[in-house]
Structures are given as structure tokens and as C-alpha cells.
Amino acid sequence: METKDMQQVNQLSAETLTKMHAYWRAANYLSVGQIYLLDNPLLKKPLTLEHIKPRLLGHWGTTPGLNFIYVHLNRIINQYDLNMVYIAGPGHGGPGMVANTYLEGTYSEFFPNISADALGMKRLFKQFSFPGGIPSHAAPETPGSINEGGELGYSLLHAYGAVFDNPGLIVACVIGDGEAETGSLAASWHSNKFLNPVHDGAVLPILHLNGYKIANPTILARIPREELEQLFYGYGYKPYFVEGEDPEQVHRQMAATLDTIVNEIKNIQESARSNGFTERPQWPMIIMVTPKGWTGPKEVDGLKIEGTWRAHQVPLAELREKPEHVKILEEWMKSYKPEELFDENGTFNEELAALAPKDKRRMGANPNANGGLLMHDLNMPEFRKYAIDVPKPGKVTGEATVIMGAFVRDVMKLNWKKRNFRVFGPDETASNRLSHLFDLTGRTFTGEIEETDDHISPDGRVMEVLSENLCQGWLEGYLLTGRHGLFSCYEAFIHIVDSMFNQHAKWLQAANKISWRAPVSSLNYLLTSHVWRQDHNGNSHQDPGFLDIVVNKTAEIVRIYLPPDANTLLSVTDHCLRSRNYINVIVAGEQPELQWLDMETAVKHCTAGLGIWEWASNDAGQEPDVVMACAGDVPTLETIAAVEILRQQFPELKVRVINVVDLMTLQPKTEHPHGLSDKEFDALFTKDKPVIFAFHGFPLLIHRLTYRRTNHDNLHVKGYIGEGTTTTPFDMVVLNELDRFHLVGEVIDRVPGLGSRGAYTKQYIRNKLLDHRAYVTTYGEDMPEIRNWQWRQSKG
Amino acid sequence: METKDMQQVNQLSAETLTKMHAYWRAANYLSVGQIYLLDNPLLKKPLTLEHIKPRLLGHWGTTPGLNFIYVHLNRIINQYDLNMVYIAGPGHGGPGMVANTYLEGTYSEFFPNISADALGMKRLFKQFSFPGGIPSHAAPETPGSINEGGELGYSLLHAYGAVFDNPGLIVACVIGDGEAETGSLAASWHSNKFLNPVHDGAVLPILHLNGYKIANPTILARIPREELEQLFYGYGYKPYFVEGEDPEQVHRQMAATLDTIVNEIKNIQESARSNGFTERPQWPMIIMVTPKGWTGPKEVDGLKIEGTWRAHQVPLAELREKPEHVKILEEWMKSYKPEELFDENGTFNEELAALAPKDKRRMGANPNANGGLLMHDLNMPEFRKYAIDVPKPGKVTGEATVIMGAFVRDVMKLNWKKRNFRVFGPDETASNRLSHLFDLTGRTFTGEIEETDDHISPDGRVMEVLSENLCQGWLEGYLLTGRHGLFSCYEAFIHIVDSMFNQHAKWLQAANKISWRAPVSSLNYLLTSHVWRQDHNGNSHQDPGFLDIVVNKTAEIVRIYLPPDANTLLSVTDHCLRSRNYINVIVAGEQPELQWLDMETAVKHCTAGLGIWEWASNDAGQEPDVVMACAGDVPTLETIAAVEILRQQFPELKVRVINVVDLMTLQPKTEHPHGLSDKEFDALFTKDKPVIFAFHGFPLLIHRLTYRRTNHDNLHVKGYIGEGTTTTPFDMVVLNELDRFHLVGEVIDRVPGLGSRGAYTKQYIRNKLLDHRAYVTTYGEDMPEIRNWQWRQSKG
């Protein structure tokens, strides 16, 4: 096989390889042009300063390598009729992706004013890293990309996410040796233990070892070759080296290697697809060792450029100060012989253009890189049928995520054949009580499986790995290629992916503005085992601050839901799984808790986003004396329990209970589409009565959302104030003064005229808190009156 | 050498190994006791439910392995007089660390009520995972720990951080095979490329392959042995396997292996220390393969426990429901033969106790794990002498971080011999313009170095690796062992370590409450190349949201500084480097910017934390018509430029300019020690005049900090609203409406009575913004009047 391939390549050498080299020259020419030129795109006139951008912002170093790979992938796409997309991992590889999609014609199709002629080329050059133009790395604006090249480390995760359940797809993923030093990337090589060739596609990792980051050599470029090889064998790959400085020789090597690899991938897939999965294959990968800034200036002012860190950014940066450099730039660009590549009008040479794949096989036009085009709506079961029966509020106990798990299982079941829905989580699906999923499917794993393992299979559809980064990155890749998913995570540890969340939100925000990007399914988080129910794991596992990160993002993208019980969680989950282009954050507990709303009430409540709970209120349509607001399951429980005490102690006090499911309703309508108008807000929260707000997260978040509201000065928020340790559930709320007793105390402090009854009640709750302290430190569990508490009040 | 060691061990076998085994039994007994028992610690009475905790919250799975290793490390500490600390990476390994420090006596020294007798043992058992007690993982409360075992992934980073510049120290770092799946851990193996045996200590990684996480097998336990070995050879280690289920055999293997390894480490160090650094050594490591829940129940109710995921948490969890399990628990505990280990009074057998190292050699008492004890104050140069000359405000240009770099270089210089200060950053030290450091030292690297490399050396003291996680983890380990440091980072990408920041803040908060933990040096961030000066890198590099995460943390720990220019940056840096037990966040730009304050004014301004800039104000001690507040270098520039326009257009308008350096001054005094009293705040910001606040970050942060202030309703904040792309510096502020023109517009909207002059000025600024847009989209740089703007107003 290999000998035949080599012959094939040798056969190509006379004809195709020369053309491929010319194609590469064209891509390099266009890349340099983007970095430097404002005008004179074909260098028909002698190059002068006025043709050059005043601010030079591009990055040359990684680009020739990216171009080289792109040209070679084009060949194998044609030769083997491959369905392939390209991920450019290295930072600032934008010029390469743009140049290649321009050459293959897709760029002009997406952006008609960037036409395939001299005027288009001039615009192509000008727009790069220019105000009103395009970024310096692959981005949503870049045809063919599902990976933002700005923050490094996620390329391989996006690649794997893209090929799960996508058997026909191969993702060629170029990984920078700088990027390879990040935590996410280092861990993501192990994604091959979750890839099943029977129904997943293939990833072809291409580690581009050009040796340098911004100013430093890279680690992987400076370890002995033997260690480098062992590392990737150890990660489970079969590394092929493609290495050199002489383009002709590297062309030959790359072509031969790709032929070999395509055959290996096909063999792996054919064997698995005819015989079923037997063992994890050793997937091929490429380590391409070529100089940084390849084909650029070798030396400038006596300093070595090509092959060093100095090629990272702009090799000739001081053109105004050193006019002789303009000459060097001109020579450099002319070394690609543009006159052989483009005609008088700037049209790409026809024979070269013919090397590109056709139509949707072009990597810039592959619909997998614009996944909304391929997306099918989920076939959704009727969520109401999973409802827990709640004849009366606050008497029945249920585990919200257990019930949600049954619903999610059936979402998976109804879409089983389409294979377009997966659930992700860091080894916590069972811990988060979504175990009903395992009625239907197992955890995905293609490593060795032993008899005692629980629900693990190479065909499983629950993705578990002890890395939030991997879960997030896979899911992003899965969604951006047109599928659906859910990420369940311990609330505290979702902070590990704050930055990935940020970048995905930025992606969605930018993509929304691009007409040709089709909507994709929302990224849905279930944050559970949350701050209030990590009493057993302690302080390190307690943090609700992710919501603060989320609220910083633009209102078109983010949604936060705090369903107080199982039926509201069902309604919210149904809504989120149907939505598009959002990031939905659902916070809900997995422990047995009292249930409040029957299904129909729950649906109405979730549709409104917030509302008065009349059964718990006794203001009977009048202006209340105090508003007890709550958001989150545990704060809701404590609020209702506090209301019971208030009713007993102050029967005449008019209490209104408001529960908030959709946090964004609190913001002004001008800030968020879900926001209440001021009039609606005032009608609920009054204009001047004390509002005691029991909140799941940091109290300041509620103030951030409501500071412009009429009654904000009377809003008193209780929430997580950073206290906590290994203790009991109720002690957690006591430590943070969010418990029923502190809430009652707050009411007494804020509502005027409660008189001696108020003082008496203060003493009563003080004693209760002392009883609590004594009990938990003796027995290590909560007092029976707390553990067994139920809502016993009737209405009014 | 190896043969001799084996003989040595064989010699030990009759005497010491039996004792070591008994010591291990004691540690296991105490671990099980902590998980289950409230009383009856020595099992003198038959075990009944009333001796057992009602809530069982511990984790058994990892503990016997941790204990096993601890006992063996004790032997080599004694045998070779090693200075060693122990890092327990696996989740929930708390019982093991606690048991062992109790046996060696340190626990009772730190916590005298947990005495070395039956009463102490009862308390030891009860306090574990109990309200008012201790967490279930290693934590600040745990003697001998510098690694919180809650959020996984940082153990190896803490280990390396601890041994940099600590030549006498060996850190034995146990890494869980679950933890090994995280991004941070996967990348951190490469830390060996930054370790120089000449002046650094050694890390002995011990990968504990017990096969399971919570519910899943681990990746590394399910790849072929050959791949596993290659992986670690590839990472640059020499792996030794210690493997088995039969304790005696594993004891022998472990002892022999450790003898070999200690000799290897000594050889590496001796050779490097006599001959100088020649090449990166291949450091030894251990892969220990033993069953999860080793020595625990083999089977319960017909289900296999030992060696499976079921051993992860509490193997016998339903003791109330299944009383027969109480018997199993009793048999399990008795299998360790407590009567041979502890006497009647619960005192540990003297002969066994003699196996533990003495005094500070005990791993629980090693001062490296309570680094404040070893910390020396930095010898600080006089920061004033680095001042940039600022004869008048707003006329001289300077690069703040360049000037800071010279100061930091000399901090390093003055402490050169103590080797107790390092600077960390993800390949950005030069990009962040701290290059003066390279006058003195290089970047640390022990991989291969080539001629063209820039300031790279195995002796360098600037730590650069393209991973924010690695930088953060190393620095944490470095600080917690008593040294000092600075982490410079692109502002946007610091979000990558949000969760690590969180955990370090939690550590400091808990450590502050522990009397025996000595104060450590603060963790200092320089966030630069910040949101406003990432115009060239674009959207992905723009995010100031880390400040929102920081503000959620307790006021005793966090400080945020936004120095507006170079001299204020110097003053703030000096202050931060001298501080203890804080996390200081400094935000400052690296680009040439106008300078405002001479050195003495800067010191006064920073000491106050905020203040009126009289030279820019014209309210002349009277009540102003409008307050122009600013925080951050770019917002300050725009505010001053806006003031100039206001002076021209509305000479009669009384403008007060307030600059805020210390963001915490804005909070009420009750919330933060730096907070202004309401009286002070009102005196500055007035009670009823419009305040236009130009802020570096998300505007809502200012509202969070000030919502309780008298004049909050008149506070209008401009800041980052999520807009941005690759553009010009001024266009970035325009896109976010933070520029001088929008600020003037805001004044016109908020100050009543500006009449037709107001309308005229509105038109003027509208035209200016149109000019700007036309100019940048044509030329790609800012208008000369913006680029060359200086403050020309005189006072009053």
C-alpha cells in the first residue's frame, strides 16, 4: 500500500506538485498582502509607503504552515472524495484561512464585495485587522471555521466534538506547538478514548511544530525526538513526521504521508463498521516540523527571522522608519511570483484554481462548519408527562434532577436514530442524579472495559471525563456542527470553564451578526450539586459565582433559570432544549426537596418567569406589608418556611411571596428582552414596601439587576456570602444568614410597627438558632423539625 | 546500587517492614474511624448504631493508598534524612493526611484538644466531615498541606512551585488518576522543563492508579501498559511501577523502589550541583497500581467493593437501614487489630510511633508546608527613584509597565542571593513590556536551548509557559512555601484561572482563621494588555470581567488597583509586593500613554486610594455642577480629554474630576476596610449632582459597589459593554461609548440648563464621531488630533 502511494505521489510530482506549490505561493502571497497592503494588490506599481497600512497588526509566523497544510488537504479531498473541515488551532492564523477560502471561491460567495478580481483583492487585503474589517485569527466571520483562534487550547476539543456522531466527517485539526502547552489541549489528546469509529468520524491531528511562541521556544520543539514520539504513542496515536525546510521535499513527504493516513483511517473505519467495535484503534496523526515564518525574509538588519521567534508577528514592522524595508517587503511578495498566479485583473489562474475541491467539498463551504444548516430540531417528548404529582404545595418530596433525568433520557430515546443529542459531565451524571439516562444508554468509553464497570460502553451516549474543559469543548464542537446537548456540572467547578464560556458567548454574539451563519442549538448548562447542597463536600465545592460571569454577557445570548422544584425544572428544560443561539444556565438541586407547583401551575409560572405565589401569600390582592421574594430551590424553601413563622407570629401582617424562575425578568426591559417593564415590576414588588429577597447566589447580583428599579432602596438581599464548610444542609444556610430564622429577623428589622411581638419573635428565633447549633454539633445532622418540615398553612 | 538497595530492604523485612505494615494498619484504622465513628473509638464495646455518625460523608477509596505512601515516605525521610513534604492530590484524601499527622504527633501539637489518647481519638473521629469540624479533603486546616484537595488538578503544580529555589526540599506528590484527567494536571507534567537541579529541589510524582473516579474507570488505568509507560517517558520521566494487592509484596516493592529513586535524585542533584547544569535530567516517578478501597470490605451484599468504583465514597452507607452492616464495619475495623496498635488509653504503640520522623522532619510539621514561617521580607528598592518626570499633567508620554519592569527587575536584583522572588507569565513578559527584567535575568528553561533564542537559560528567573494554569499553580506553590512573586497576564485570559483564583482565595480565607498558619506573601496579578489596548488582537482578547469574580470574594482577602499612570503604578506595586495574605489585582496598560502625576502626588493619591484632581477640576472648593469620575488608565485619559471639551464649550460649568485607584474605596466602610465612610463619599461625590463615571470594566461593577451610597441614583457609569473587534485604540472606546465625546454627551444629558450651547455641542461631538469613523475606516489609525492629544488647560 505504502509503495503504491509513493508511486502515486511520484507520478504527481511532475504535474500536480508543481501546481500545488504554486497554489501555496498564491496563499502565501495573499496572506502577506493581508498583513501589509492597503493598495497596489498585484504589485503592478513599485511598492511605496502609501500602499502600506499605517498600523501593521497581523501575524505571519504560523501562516505559511497553515497554508501548506490546506493545499495538501485540498488534494486528498479531491483524490478520495473526503468530507473534511479544517480547524486552525495556532493563534493568529486568520490570514491563512482567509487566503485559502478566497482562492477556493467560498470567500467571495459569502462576501460578494470581496470579489475574485483586483478590486476584491484590494478589499481583502485592506479589511484584515482593520477597523470595520475582520480579526487576525479564524473567527465566526471566517468561512469554514468552528474554532475561534484567539484564546488558545480548544482546537482539538472542537475537532472531536465535531466528529462525534458524524461518521462521514474528517476534521483536520492543526494544533500550534504553543497552544499545545495549555491545559485544555494537553488533556484533550485523550479524547481518542471516547471516539468510536463505528458511528463517529475521524480527527486528523496535525501538530505544527514551528518551534516558537511569541518570544519563547515551545516545549514540544525542545525535547528529544524520542520523547516526542513516545509522548504521542503514549497518548494513543501513531505519529508521522513531515519535516524540512525545502518545500519540494516537504511537499513530497506530506503528500505521501497523507495518502498513507487516509488509507489508515479508511481501514480503521471500514473494519469497525463491518465487524463492530473491538478495540480502540491507534489513530494516525502528523507532526509537521517546518520553520516559523517559512518562505518569509530569512534575515533582516542582520537578525535571523525565518525559523525564529522574530517571525511570530510582523517581520518588517518599522516601514515608516526604515524605508529600505519597503524594498525587502516588495521582494518578499514578488518571490511568490504573483504574475504567474493571478492575471491582469487579479483573477486566480484557472489551472491552479482547478486544484480546489468543488462546491460543498471546499473546506470553506462544508456545511459542518456552519452546523445550523445541518441541524434538525429535536423530537421532544411531552414534558408534562414526567410531572411529579403535587396535590398541595410543600408536602410532597421529590428530587428535581431525577425527574429531569427521565425526561432527558426520553429526549435521547426519541432522537436515538438521528444520534444528535448527547449529555456531557465530569464523572457526575449519577452524582447529579441524572441516572435515568442509564436506563437507556451507557457512558461512552473506548478504553478497556471491565466486568465490574457500571454502564460503560463504546456505544454509550453520556460523555464523562474528569475535566470540565473537555466536556465544554466537546459540546461546543458538537453544537457548532448542528447537534444538541446538555452539560451537567457541579456548580462550583463550572468556574473552570469561565473563559471557554466567555469565548463561546463571544462566538454566538458575533455569529448572530453574520447573515450566512445558520442558528445553532443553545449551549445548555445544568448546574447542580449546587452551593447549598455541597454541605458534605465543603468549602471548595461551594461557589455560585458563575452567574455573575454570565450576567456580564450580552442580553441576546444569555438566559438564567432557577426553577424552584421538579415541575418547573421540567418546563424550563423543555424550553431550553428547544431554543437556539443562547447559553442557558439552569440551576437546580439534586437532593430530595419539597415540591411546590403542580404541572400546569409550573408551566404558567415559568412562562411568566416570575410571579406571586398566592397560596403562600396573605395580601389578598391588597398592598402587602412586606414582599418575600426568592430565587432558587433552597432559598424558596427557606422563604416559605419563614412565611409560616411570620403567619404564626404576626397573623395580621400582609405578606406577598414572589418566586423568580427567570432571573433576567428582574432587569429593566431596556437591558434584557425578558425584563419586566418598570410598571410591571412596581406592581409586583411595590414602590415602597420592604422586599426581603432570598437568593441562590451572591446578593450583589440581585442589586446589579435591580438598581434602577423604583423600590430598590427597600430591597434587602440574602444570599451566599462566602461562608461554608463541611456541615449539614441547614447549617449551610444558617452560616450565610439565608435561613428561615434570619429571614424572619430581617422582616422584623425592616417592617415598622411590629412592637413587642417583634421583640419576642427575635428572641424566639435567636433561641431556635442556638438549638440548631447545639444539635448539629452534637449529632451531625439537622434537627428533626427542620428535616421534616412541611408547609402546613392554608391560604389567606 | 539497586542490588544493594534490595538487600537493604530484604534486611528490613523481618523487622521494619512488619512494623511499617502495622503503622499502615493504624493509619487505615484511624481513617475508617474518622469516616464512621462518633464514639467507641477503640472498639472496646461492641459497635452499635449509636457509636456511628448519622450522616456518613467521607471517602474511603483513595485513603489506604495515601496512607501506604505516607508510611513509606516516613521510612526514607529517616533513612536518608530527607526534607520532604507530602501533597495529597486525589480528591477527598483528608482522612489519610489527618490520620498520619495524628500518628506522628503533629496533629495534637497543632490542635491540643485532639490529644494522643482515647478522648483525643474520639474527637478526631467526630470532627471529620462534621459541623464545626474539618473538611473531607486536605485543606488549610490540615497540618503539612499546601494543597486543597477539593478542586482537582493542581497538586503537581503546587509541588513544582514549592521546590523552585528550594534546593533542599523534595515534594512527594500523589496524583489521583481521576485528577490526572484534568487539563491543568495533564499540562503540568511538563513542569520538569523548568526545573533546574542546581538550585531547585525535586518533585517525586506518584501517580496513584487505583482505577476509578466517582463512578467511572479512569483513562490512565484503561490504556495498555505500554502506552502508559510511553506517555510518561514522553513527558520526560522515568516511571517505576509499584503494583499489587498483596500488602507484603507491595511493601517490598515500594521500599526498594523508593531506595532506588532517592539515590537517583541524589545523583542528579549532586552531579548538577558539582558540574553545573548540562542537560535536563530524566526524573524518576512512581506509578502505584493498587486497588481502590484497599483493605476495605471485599464484597457487601454480593457486590464487589474493593477494587471497584463502589469503594469511592462510603462502602457501608446504609447502616440504619441494614443493621447487619454494623457488624461488617466492626469486623473491617477490627481487621486492623487496633489492640496491637493502641494501648488501653488510646496511646499509639511506642515502637511503631518511633518509625515516624522527628520534629520538623515530620511531614505534618515541615515548615515548607507552613511557608510563612520561612518567609523573609523582600529587600525593596526605593520605588520613587524609578519615577518618570511629570512636570505638568498630561504632557509627557510613558509606558507604565516598562517603568514598573525596571522596578521589578531591581526587586529581583536586591533579593538575588535569597532567590525568593520570581515573575510568572504566559509567554507575555516582553509583550506586556516588562522587558527590563531581561537586563538581569532570562526566561527559565531546561529544555534544549538554541543560539537564536532570546534571554532563555536554565538559570532564568522569569517563568514563561503558554498556560495561565501553570503560571498560577506554580506561583501558588511558590508563595505557600514562603516566597514572593508576580503574575503578569493578558487581562482577558486571566479568566482561564478564575477557578484557581477562587480556590486560592478560599485557602487564604480559611488559613487566616488558623492560628498556627503564618502569613504568606500576597498573590499579585498584573493584568495588562488589557481590554482597551487589545484593539490589535480583537474581540477574543477583550474582557475585563475578572474584576467581577474578584469582588465576590471576602473583603479581608482581595484588593483591586487601577493606577492611571506610571508613577501611581510604581506606588501600587511597591505596596502590593510588601503586603501579606491578600490577592492584589493591578490593572495597568503597557502602551505609551499620557502621564498625570509626579511621584509625590502619585504616592499621596495612592495612599488615599482616590481623590479630586484639582488641576483638572474647576469647582474651586465649591459644590460642582457635575462630577467626572474615572478608574483605569484609558478611562482617565478619556475623562480628562472630555473635561477639556467641557471647559471649552461650557466655561461656566463647575466640573470636579475624581480619579479612583483603589476600587475598594467605593464600597461602604462596613463592607471593606478600604471603603470610604458615607460622609467622606458624599463630600467627594456630592449628594445630588450628576456623576459621570468612566470605568475600566463592566459598568455594573461600579453599581454593585456603590448602590447604597446617597447619590447613587445620579451615578451614570460608562465602561465595557461587550463591543469590540480588531480596530484602533480610540475606536475601541468609541464602540463602547466610553470616549471623550460620549462622555461629554452624557454630561449634556445629565446636567440641566445647558441650553442651546448644549444642543450645539451635541452636534459638534456627533460630527467628531463621524469624522472619526470616516478616518479610521480609511486609514486604519486614529485621527492625529486623537493620537497627539495632550492636556493643555491650566487650572481653574
Side-chain angles (χ1 to χ4, degrees), chain A residues 55 216 453 464 498 535, chain B residues 55 216 222 464 498 535:
Chain A
R55 293 177 83 218
N216 268 307
D453 292 343
E464 292 201 343
D498 276 1
D535 43 280
Chain B
R55 293 177 84 218
N216 267 309
R222 298 298 177 83
E464 292 202 344
D498 276 1
D535 42 280

Side-chain angles (χ1 to χ4, degrees), chain A residues 211-218 222 292 308-313, chain B residues 426-431 435 438 443 452-456 464 466:
Chain A
Y212 290 90
K213 295 168 287 194
I214 304 182
N216 268 307
T218 59
R222 298 299 176 83
K292 187 146 188 164
T308 79
W309 53 275
R310 290 191 197 90
H312 177 72
Q313 214 159 337
Chain B
D427 191 29
E428 293 161 6
T429 307
S431 171
S435 311
F438 301 128
R443 303 171 173 94
T452 44
D453 292 344
D454 182 45
H455 289 104
I456 296 176
E464 292 202 344
L466 211 162

Side-chain angles (χ1 to χ4, degrees), chain B residues 73-327:
Chain B
L73 296 175
N74 277 347
R75 181 187 71 81
I76 59 169
I77 290 171
N78 277 330
Q79 180 147 347
Y80 302 98
D81 189 27
L82 302 179
N83 175 15
M84 182 174 263
V85 299
Y86 186 90
I87 288 185
H92 302 287
M97 284 289 275
V98 170
N100 274 288
T101 52
Y102 180 74
L103 288 176
E104 74 192 17
T106 48
Y107 206 90
S108 302
E109 290 168 23
F110 285 118
F111 303 100
N113 67 326
I114 310 289
S115 46
D117 53 24
L119 178 62
M121 195 187 292
K122 178 181 157 179
R123 288 175 173 161
L124 180 86
F125 288 177
K126 181 182 167 186
Q127 69 168 2
F128 174 79
S129 279
F130 203 82
I134 62 167
S136 70
H137 23 72
E141 293 88 338
T142 318
S145 180
I146 58 162
N147 181 68
E148 153 78 64
E151 182 169 302
L152 302 180
Y154 315 128
S155 59
L156 196 55
L157 294 173
H158 291 160
Y160 274 97
V163 302
F164 291 136
D165 297 322
N166 214 340
L169 184 69
I170 303 178
V171 177
C173 179
V174 188
I175 296 142
D177 48 354
E179 181 185 21
E181 294 177 12
T182 64
S184 296
L185 207 297
S188 65
W189 293 105
H190 287 298
S191 303
N192 55 5
K193 280 86 191 179
F194 300 85
L195 187 89
N196 183 341
V198 175
H199 40 63
D200 298 328
V203 172
L204 170 56
I206 303 170
L207 177 67
H208 186 199
L209 216 64
N210 73 17
Y212 290 92
K213 295 169 286 196
I214 304 181
N216 267 309
T218 60
I219 293 174
L220 295 183
R222 298 298 177 83
I223 61 176
R225 185 56 53 92
E226 200 193 337
E227 282 187 14
L228 186 65
E229 267 194 286
Q230 282 173 316
L231 184 64
F232 288 100
Y233 277 115
Y235 273 128
Y237 296 87
K238 182 173 174 187
Y240 287 89
F241 282 83
V242 171
E243 180 168 10
E245 299 187 20
D246 168 29
E248 193 185 327
Q249 172 247 323
V250 188
H251 276 305
R252 283 179 191 284
Q253 258 194 67
M254 181 58 105
T257 304
L258 282 173
D259 284 325
T260 306
I261 282 177
V262 170
N263 281 306
E264 275 188 35
I265 291 175
K266 282 184 179 289
N267 288 342
I268 289 170
Q269 290 181 335
E270 277 165 22
S271 149
R273 290 170 194 178
S274 14
N275 310 323
F277 181 84
T278 49
E279 59 168 358
R280 175 172 55 84
Q282 192 191 34
W283 293 96
M285 68 172 286
I286 293 174
I287 301 179
M288 177 167 120
V289 190
T290 58
K292 188 147 188 162
W294 200 13
T295 74
K298 297 236 181 278
E299 235 184 71
V300 175
D301 299 339
L303 293 172
K304 206 170 166 252
I305 305 289
E306 192 196 50
T308 80
W309 53 275
R310 290 191 196 88
H312 177 73
Q313 213 159 340
V314 183
L316 303 158
E318 298 166 301
L319 294 165
R320 287 190 203 189
E321 296 76 14
K322 298 182 178 169
E324 68 277 17
H325 283 192
V326 176
K327 195 75 207 153

Side-chain angles (χ1 to χ4, degrees), chain A residues 283-442:
Chain A
W283 293 96
M285 68 173 286
I286 293 174
I287 300 179
M288 178 167 119
V289 189
T290 58
K292 187 146 188 164
W294 200 12
T295 74
K298 298 235 180 278
E299 235 183 70
V300 177
D301 300 339
L303 292 172
K304 207 169 167 251
I305 306 288
E306 191 197 53
T308 79
W309 53 275
R310 290 191 197 90
H312 177 72
Q313 214 159 337
V314 182
L316 302 158
E318 299 166 301
L319 294 165
R320 288 190 204 190
E321 296 76 14
K322 300 183 179 168
E324 69 276 18
H325 283 191
V326 175
K327 197 74 208 152
I328 305 179
L329 173 59
E330 189 173 26
E331 280 164 15
W332 170 18
M333 293 195 71
K334 287 202 163 164
S335 75
Y336 299 120
K337 301 182 190 157
E339 67 286 359
E340 294 179 14
L341 310 169
F342 304 96
D343 71 12
E344 276 295 295
N345 302 320
T347 308
F348 190 32
N349 175 296
E350 213 172 292
E351 255 189 288
L352 300 182
L355 293 184
K358 301 289 164 286
D359 302 325
K360 290 186 181 168
R361 288 299 195 224
R362 294 173 299 175
M363 290 190 284
N366 190 309
N368 281 286
N370 185 7
L373 296 176
L374 301 173
M375 188 185 59
H376 295 276
D377 288 347
L378 284 171
N379 187 355
M380 297 288 288
E382 170 53 52
F383 67 92
R384 289 175 179 81
K385 79 174 198 221
Y386 303 86
I388 180 168
D389 189 26
V390 183
K392 285 188 176 182
K395 294 196 175 293
V396 182
T397 295
E399 294 154 295
T401 60
V402 172
I403 290 164
M404 173 184 175
F407 175 57
V408 172
R409 171 200 62 207
D410 288 354
V411 173
M412 189 170 278
K413 199 172 182 177
L414 279 184
N415 299 279
W416 190 253
K417 285 197 181 148
K418 284 222 175 96
R419 299 190 69 89
N420 60 352
F421 179 68
R422 290 205 188 204
V423 176
F424 302 74
D427 190 31
E428 292 161 6
T429 307
S431 171
N432 293 335
R433 311 270 168 103
L434 295 171
S435 310
H436 274 308
L437 279 162
F438 301 127
D439 304 345
L440 177 69
T441 186

Side-chain angles (χ1 to χ4, degrees), chain B residues 372-580:
Chain B
L373 296 176
L374 301 173
M375 189 186 59
H376 296 276
D377 287 348
L378 284 172
N379 187 356
M380 296 288 287
E382 171 52 52
F383 67 92
R384 288 174 179 81
K385 80 175 197 219
Y386 302 86
I388 181 168
D389 189 27
V390 184
K392 286 187 174 180
K395 293 197 177 294
V396 182
T397 296
E399 293 153 296
T401 60
V402 172
I403 290 165
M404 173 184 174
F407 174 58
V408 171
R409 172 201 62 206
D410 289 352
V411 173
M412 189 170 277
K413 199 171 182 178
L414 279 183
N415 299 279
W416 190 253
K417 285 197 180 149
K418 284 222 176 97
R419 300 189 69 89
N420 60 352
F421 179 68
R422 291 205 187 206
V423 175
F424 301 75
D427 191 29
E428 293 161 6
T429 307
S431 171
N432 293 335
R433 310 270 168 102
L434 295 172
S435 311
H436 274 308
L437 278 162
F438 301 128
D439 304 345
L440 176 69
T441 185
R443 303 171 173 94
T444 317
F445 194 55
T446 56
E448 203 187 306
I449 293 179
E450 292 181 6
E451 229 178 272
T452 44
D453 292 344
D454 182 45
H455 289 104
I456 296 176
S457 134
D459 295 311
R461 302 185 57 67
V462 175
M463 310 288 292
E464 292 202 344
V465 60
L466 211 162
S467 165
E468 288 76 5
N469 297 115
L470 265 58
C471 293
Q472 170 88 16
W474 288 342
L475 176 55
E476 289 175 0
Y478 199 69
L479 297 175
L480 290 176
T481 47
R483 282 79 65 74
H484 310 266
L486 172 72
F487 178 6
S488 100
C489 189
Y490 283 7
E491 183 183 34
F493 297 154
I494 198 70
H495 272 304
I496 293 170
V497 298
D498 276 1
S499 211
M500 297 181 78
F501 156 83
N502 249 343
Q503 296 295 340
H504 189 69
K506 281 172 179 282
W507 176 283
L508 290 177
Q509 189 185 356
N512 270 348
K513 294 178 189 154
I514 298 164
S515 59
W516 51 266
R517 285 241 172 233
V520 294
S521 195
S522 302
L523 197 160
N524 301 306
Y525 292 102
L526 170 68
L527 304 188
T528 182
S529 303
H530 60 54
V531 54
W532 303 112
R533 299 315 303 264
Q534 283 287 359
D535 42 280
H536 56 300
N537 279 323
N539 191 31
S540 60
H541 288 53
Q542 296 158 352
D543 191 292
F546 185 66
L547 301 184
D548 293 273
I549 288 281
V550 174
V551 168
N552 277 344
K553 292 290 138 194
T554 173
E556 355 154 21
I557 301 299
V558 297
R559 302 289 181 268
I560 297 176
Y561 300 97
L562 295 146
D565 67 1
N567 288 337
T568 48
L569 176 60
L570 281 171
S571 172
V572 162
T573 305
D574 180 74
H575 176 77
C576 292
L577 289 177
R578 293 171 186 271
S579 73
R580 301 286 175 264

Side-chain angles (χ1 to χ4, degrees), chain A residues 156 160 163-164 166-171 188-206 229 231-240 257 260-273 277-287 445-447 458, chain B residues 227:
Chain A
L156 195 55
Y160 274 97
V163 303
F164 291 135
N166 213 342
L169 185 68
I170 303 179
V171 177
S188 64
W189 294 105
H190 287 299
S191 302
N192 56 5
K193 280 85 191 180
F194 300 85
L195 186 89
N196 183 340
V198 175
H199 40 62
D200 298 329
V203 172
L204 169 56
I206 303 170
E229 268 194 285
L231 184 63
F232 288 100
Y233 278 114
Y235 273 128
Y237 295 87
K238 182 171 173 188
Y240 287 88
T257 305
T260 306
I261 282 177
V262 170
N263 282 307
E264 274 187 35
I265 291 174
K266 283 185 179 287
N267 288 342
I268 289 170
Q269 290 182 334
E270 277 165 22
S271 149
R273 290 170 195 179
F277 181 85
T278 49
E279 59 168 357
R280 174 172 56 84
Q282 192 190 33
W283 293 96
M285 68 173 286
I286 293 174
I287 300 179
F445 194 54
T446 55
Chain B
E227 282 187 14

